Amino acid sequence: MKPKIVQFEEKLIVGISTEMSLVQNKTSELWKSFRGRTKEILNRSSEYFISLQQYPSSYVENFDPHKKFVKWACVEVDAVENMPLGMGRLVVEGGLYAVFNYKGNAENAPAFFQYIYGEWIPNSEYILDDRPQFEVLDAKYKNNDPTSEEEVWVPIKTK
């Protein structure tokens, strides 16, 4: 499984975020509260959705499923005028990303991420960068379906 290495340009996103851990996973509730409100967001620059994680420094290196991080359910926008009440905005800094294609449901995701962090990164010419990781959910994404597909964007920099 070889990723594409992409130079990502800075993007502006709008959405809802919450703090959680893998043990106290609130992803389903986060997306339920966001999906019903996407029509309120003006200036969308694409049709896809973004699931974004802001991990603390050394989250992966010192992995603990109880450690908290911030998760966003969001979309990309060109501007943030008239932002919906209760939503936030975030500028995702540009830089290198390794883009992996994931096919499957959430059950199989831990092995997929173990490969990325445990095998691919250590054996590549890159190290993990301290920027958000995110998944792009386009028309091929089908929640919890084994045929679902998404792009996983992992922030990297040269060793």
Side-chain angles (χ1 to χ4, degrees):
M1 171 181 1
K2 189 172 176 150
K4 292 184 296 187
I5 305 302
V6 175
Q7 180 62 44
F8 177 78
E9 299 298 322
E10 179 178 282
K11 297 210 182 298
L12 179 60
I13 61 166
V14 168
I16 298 174
S17 65
T18 191
E19 189 175 64
M20 69 173 75
S21 69
L22 292 177
V23 172
Q24 294 179 319
N25 193 326
K26 302 174 188 172
T27 301
S28 181
E29 296 90 345
L30 178 67
W31 278 98
K32 282 178 188 168
S33 65
F34 179 67
R35 283 286 233 191
R37 298 192 58 205
T38 56
K39 288 183 171 76
E40 298 173 40
I41 300 170
L42 305 177
N43 305 312
R44 280 186 70 173
S45 56
S46 70
E47 290 299 311
Y48 58 80
F49 293 89
I50 298 171
S51 180
L52 182 141
Q53 295 74 230
Q54 291 177 295
Y55 296 118
S57 293
S58 74
Y59 179 86
V60 172
E61 295 87 344
N62 301 311
F63 180 73
D64 174 354
H66 295 90
K67 193 184 289 185
K68 294 192 183 270
F69 60 93
V70 176
K71 182 153 190 129
W72 287 77
C74 51
V75 295
E76 185 182 345
V77 295
D78 293 321
V80 290
E81 294 128 12
N82 303 313
M83 194 163 60
L85 190 63
M87 290 196 192
R89 68 174 178 215
L90 177 70
V91 175
V92 183
E93 181 184 339
L96 280 182
Y97 274 83
V99 182
F100 295 85
N101 290 315
Y102 178 69
K103 184 174 183 177
N105 58 21
E107 275 178 28
N108 300 325
F112 175 77
F113 286 103
Q114 177 59 38
Y115 166 77
I116 292 172
Y117 296 120
E119 293 181 43
W120 185 81
I121 289 178
N123 295 307
S124 75
E125 60 190 77
Y126 304 100
I127 58 174
L128 199 57
D129 199 0
D130 191 16
R131 291 180 285 123
Q133 173 185 303
F134 59 91
E135 294 80 46
V136 174
L137 313 174
D138 63 14
K140 295 177 191 172
Y141 178 76
K142 301 173 195 116
N143 188 29
N144 222 14
D145 184 306
T147 65
S148 182
E149 294 182 43
E150 61 191 85
E151 289 182 343
V152 176
W153 290 64
V154 178
I156 56 173
K157 59 185 175 183
T158 309
K159 285 182 181 172

